Amino acid sequence: MADVSHHRGDLAGHPDVSEMQARYDRVLGGRDVALVDGPVFLVGLFCAVSPWIVHFTASQPALMTHNLIMGIAIAALGLGFTARPARMYGLSWAMCAMGVWMIIAPWIVGSGPDRGVIWTNAVIGGLTCLLGLICVAVSGRSRHRT
């Protein structure tokens, strides 16, 4: 019986290794923060639907509209990070500011927020700020490498 299994080996001797590396770099596009795009989109999506999940649409109509708009904006940043990363990662600091705003918004936009509203916005704001800081750190590190 013939041995038809493929043995894995080192590709260093492959004649097309430089072309494969260049193609890999071109496809990846220097995207060190690609793993942050999805969570940013999901945090934005949750922010947009949080008034209906936490049930404060009737008690906090201004905060409901606020969270819907901010959630759409955060999700749009996540989509922008995926579509145009070279242009969008400069907005990572804006995402940090949006996170801080989400934390203080229940007292500024809302009227007498309850504990659920405060915790929801604090968690969304904290995650948004944390993801923004990760984007800033990683994109800054990749810029200094090149």
Side-chain angles (χ1 to χ4, degrees):
M1 178 145 269
D3 183 20
V4 293
S5 62
H6 297 285
H7 299 285
R8 294 182 185 244
D10 188 19
L11 288 177
H14 194 279
D16 295 329
V17 72
S18 61
E19 181 184 338
M20 288 188 298
Q21 183 63 41
R23 183 180 299 165
Y24 176 78
D25 290 339
R26 192 172 55 250
V27 168
L28 190 59
R31 301 210 38 232
D32 291 338
V33 285
L35 295 176
V36 180
D37 303 352
V40 168
F41 178 75
L42 291 176
V43 166
L45 187 63
F46 178 74
C47 181
V49 298
S50 66
W52 292 273
I53 293 174
V54 184
H55 303 292
F56 62 88
T57 55
S59 64
Q60 301 283 336
L63 197 58
M64 176 199 68
T65 306
H66 169 269
N67 278 21
L68 179 64
I69 292 170
M70 289 295 289
I72 291 170
I74 294 168
L77 278 175
L79 290 174
F81 289 161
T82 302
R84 302 278 184 207
R87 290 183 171 198
M88 293 297 291
Y89 282 121
L91 293 175
S92 300
W93 284 111
M95 200 165 79
C96 295
M98 290 169 76
V100 171
W101 172 251
M102 285 298 298
I103 293 170
I104 62 173
W107 294 282
I108 296 173
V109 177
S111 56
D114 64 354
R115 191 176 309 164
V117 172
I118 293 170
W119 272 104
T120 300
N121 274 32
V123 168
I124 291 168
L127 286 172
T128 302
C129 192
L130 177 69
L131 290 170
L133 288 173
I134 291 171
C135 286
V136 167
V138 175
S139 66
R141 188 182 71 214
S142 67
R143 245 181 292 176
H144 292 300
R145 250 189 302 167
T146 57

